[in-house]
Amino acid sequence: MPVFIIRRLLQSVVVLLVMSLLVFVGVFAIGNPIDSLISPDADQLERARTIAAFGLDKPLWQQYFIFVKNALGGDMGRSFAFSTPALTLIFERMPATMELAVFAIVIAVLLGIPLGLWAGLRPNGIAGKSIMAVSILGFSLPTFWVGLMLIMVFAVQLGWLPSSGRGSTELLLGVPVSFLTLDGLRHMLMPAFNLALFNIALVIRLTRAGAQEALLQDYVKFARAKGLRNSRIIGVHVLKNILIPVITVIALQFGSIIAFAIVTETVFAWPGMGKLIIDSIRVLDRPVIVAYLMLIVAIFILINLLVDVAYSLLDPRVRLSEAKG
């Protein structure tokens, strides 16, 4: 296990270096942030002074090496728009995005696994067919459209839930969170469900397929022949054996939720990292964009490592050296 983790960490360093080059070139080669930072009435001297202050007068390759050198020391640059370290801005918004992502995953698990089991155990029943038919909507409906419909129905017409914002927060270990207050939970419910909808459909279909496959295995037939209760067969033999693919997908989707929460956070004005990156793109705040993208890459690498370790713990037949990365 330690050798595997060390090898994966070394591979992660290479991945981060390659991604940093791609992200840096892709972001820094597009647009000119000076047009957004300097007033059109500024003279050429003031313009040149500002360009030099932000280091934009240097060649692109030199800017990249300065970026790598500073990044190794934990400095991802200062925001052009806020004159604040980019990582500080991102970490201030991270708790909002993380709790929204966790809440979305919880909703997907609590709804997806039971519904998927139901559909898998009773595939020919009306309920099972209805579950699978409804799950298609989770894949088909655009996230922004679902978010707007949720706001129109539950906020505008019914008035049950607030349409935007994060609501009241409480400090948990010094971090402001919304789920500890009723107002915060009410604000979180619609964006979390909107973010979870695709994953609910995904977990339903994955659980259903796994359950149907497990029911055909010899160990399930043997358990039934021994006279075990149906609830024990499902809970111990069926559910345990379908957890590996479900956990893998949930873990990887957690990274996707964090990375692609941009649409949901924009629709519901949720003050997370997604909304920050949209605001940064509008003004070409390059340090914030690069820092955000590099953080997302690091999160995906960490999640993949944890998934590989979880594989080996859940199924001893899976060797860490052969785990999917």
Side-chain angles (χ1 to χ4, degrees):
M1 179 85 68
V3 175
F4 166 77
I5 293 177
I6 291 174
R7 186 170 67 247
R8 287 299 300 272
L9 290 177
L10 292 176
Q11 294 173 353
S12 301
V13 172
V14 176
V15 172
L16 283 173
L17 284 175
V18 173
M19 289 303 300
S20 69
L21 179 60
L22 295 176
V23 168
F24 190 89
V25 172
V27 173
F28 276 65
I30 299 175
N32 188 357
I34 296 301
D35 295 334
S36 302
L37 299 173
I38 301 180
S39 170
D41 299 330
D43 55 26
Q44 290 298 322
L45 181 61
E46 183 179 353
R47 185 181 179 87
R49 189 182 299 116
T50 304
I51 292 174
F54 286 115
L56 299 176
D57 56 333
K58 299 179 176 63
L60 187 60
W61 65 268
Q62 192 172 351
Q63 293 185 49
Y64 173 71
F65 282 111
I66 293 174
F67 164 75
V68 172
K69 178 183 176 181
N70 294 335
L72 292 175
D75 181 11
M76 301 290 286
R78 299 181 69 87
S79 166
F80 293 163
F82 298 97
S83 297
T84 304
L87 285 178
T88 300
L89 281 175
I90 293 172
F91 288 148
E92 287 176 354
R93 305 291 189 95
M94 182 179 286
T97 297
M98 293 298 291
E99 71 172 347
L100 191 63
V102 170
F103 199 14
I105 286 293
V106 170
I107 292 174
V109 170
L110 293 180
L111 293 179
I113 292 180
L115 292 175
L117 275 176
W118 194 346
L121 297 175
R122 297 178 177 85
N124 297 321
I126 296 178
K129 292 181 179 179
S130 300
I131 290 172
M132 297 310 298
V134 173
S135 69
I136 297 176
L137 297 177
F139 292 110
S140 306
L141 297 178
T143 301
F144 73 91
W145 184 84
V146 174
L148 293 175
M149 291 302 101
L150 289 173
I151 291 174
M152 182 178 297
V153 174
F154 294 101
V156 177
Q157 295 184 353
L158 298 177
W160 291 352
L161 297 171
S163 62
S164 62
R166 193 180 178 191
S168 302
T169 60
E170 290 286 344
L171 292 179
L172 178 64
L173 301 177
V175 178
V177 294
S178 301
F179 64 87
L180 293 180
T181 67
L182 180 59
D183 183 59
L185 284 173
R186 293 179 69 248
H187 279 80
M188 194 189 304
L189 191 57
M190 281 200 299
F193 180 79
N194 186 47
L195 204 55
L197 188 59
F198 175 86
N199 296 284
I200 293 172
L202 191 62
V203 173
I204 286 175
R205 290 185 168 270
L206 193 63
T207 304
R208 175 183 179 272
Q212 289 185 327
E213 182 180 354
L215 290 174
L216 299 176
Q217 301 301 315
D218 291 337
Y219 57 83
V220 173
K221 296 178 181 178
F222 182 71
R224 283 177 173 167
K226 288 174 61 178
L228 294 181
R229 298 190 310 272
N230 198 42
S231 59
R232 180 172 177 80
I233 293 174
I234 295 172
V236 176
H237 297 283
V238 175
L239 187 59
K240 182 180 179 180
N241 284 277
I242 65 176
L243 277 181
I244 292 179
V246 171
I247 287 178
T248 303
V249 171
I250 289 175
L252 296 177
Q253 283 300 115
F254 182 72
S256 299
I257 285 176
I258 296 174
F260 302 113
I262 296 174
V263 175
T264 296
E265 291 186 1
T266 302
V267 170
F268 291 93
W270 186 265
M273 295 189 297
K275 190 172 186 304
L276 173 64
I277 194 65
I278 288 295
D279 295 338
S280 300
I281 290 173
R282 288 172 180 166
V283 297
L284 287 177
D285 198 344
R286 291 175 176 176
V288 176
I289 298 172
V290 173
Y292 172 81
L293 294 176
M294 292 305 300
L295 179 63
I296 294 301
V297 171
I299 289 175
F300 268 102
I301 290 174
L302 177 61
I303 289 175
N304 272 276
L305 176 61
L306 295 177
V307 167
D308 287 346
V309 174
Y311 252 72
S312 65
L313 296 177
L314 288 172
D315 191 347
R317 297 172 298 177
V318 179
R319 297 178 56 189
L320 283 175
S321 61
E322 299 174 353
K324 184 178 180 181

